[in-house]
Amino acid sequence: MTSGSPPFDPASRRVRAVLPDGWPQPRGYANGMLAEGKVLMTGGLVGWDAQGVFAKGFVAQVGQTLANIKAVVEAGGGKVEDIVRLTWYVTDIEAYRNSLAELGPAYRASFGRHFPAMAVVAVVALVEPEAMVEIEATAVLAG
């Protein structure tokens, strides 16, 4: 953390993005997150509903996966603003790159304008054959 990031004040902001001096503001993610509280980690969640039925298409699976993450975090007593990291595993990186405009609304439907630290990793396959995306989340909940 550099002088561009104010000292962490848990009384006012338990979770916040960190941006080094001189770095451009990232769009749609944070370079780092600073948080204080209990840690909740999800497993790799996929784009199926409570009955195990997959959404059709890449963007729809992302939307369902993010809704599933939100549901797990809320079941643990948190909210999406407590999420500090997302790691995306995608089976088709071109589908991800070619869907950026459509991914924005799908993302905001569950996460609004909360953008934690994120990584996107292309993989050959996922355990569930129909899955096009799997996402792990880390959240830091209030004390």
Side-chain angles (χ1 to χ4, degrees), residues 92-129:
D92 183 349
I93 196 67
E94 289 307 316
Y96 173 84
R97 289 178 180 148
N98 293 331
S99 300
L100 292 176
E102 295 85 10
L103 285 173
Y107 180 92
R108 288 189 301 276
S110 289
F111 280 54
R113 297 213 172 263
H114 176 66
F115 302 109
M118 290 189 226
V120 178
V121 181
V123 296
V124 174
L126 298 166
V127 171
E128 294 297 331

Side-chain angles (χ1 to χ4, degrees), residues 12 17 37-38 53 55 86 90 100 109 120 131:
S12 65
K38 298 182 297 185
V53 176
L86 296 173
V90 300
L100 292 176
V120 178

Side-chain angles (χ1 to χ4, degrees), residues 11 23-24 27 29 36 43 50-51 54 56 58 65 73-74 79 81 83 89 97 101 105 111 123 126 131 137 143:
W23 284 32
R27 294 181 54 196
Y29 66 96
E36 183 175 291
Q51 291 73 44
F54 276 93
K56 301 297 181 215
F58 182 76
T65 302
V73 170
E74 289 176 348
K79 54 190 184 302
E81 292 80 11
I83 296 171
Y89 302 94
R97 289 178 180 148
F111 280 54
V123 296
L126 298 166

Side-chain angles (χ1 to χ4, degrees), residues 15 22 44 104:
V15 176

Side-chain angles (χ1 to χ4, degrees), residues 13-39:
R13 295 179 73 188
R14 239 185 9 81
V15 176
R16 69 172 176 83
V18 176
L19 184 65
D21 283 340
W23 284 32
Q25 182 67 45
R27 294 181 54 196
Y29 66 96
N31 290 303
M33 297 290 287
L34 186 59
E36 183 175 291
K38 298 182 297 185
V39 178

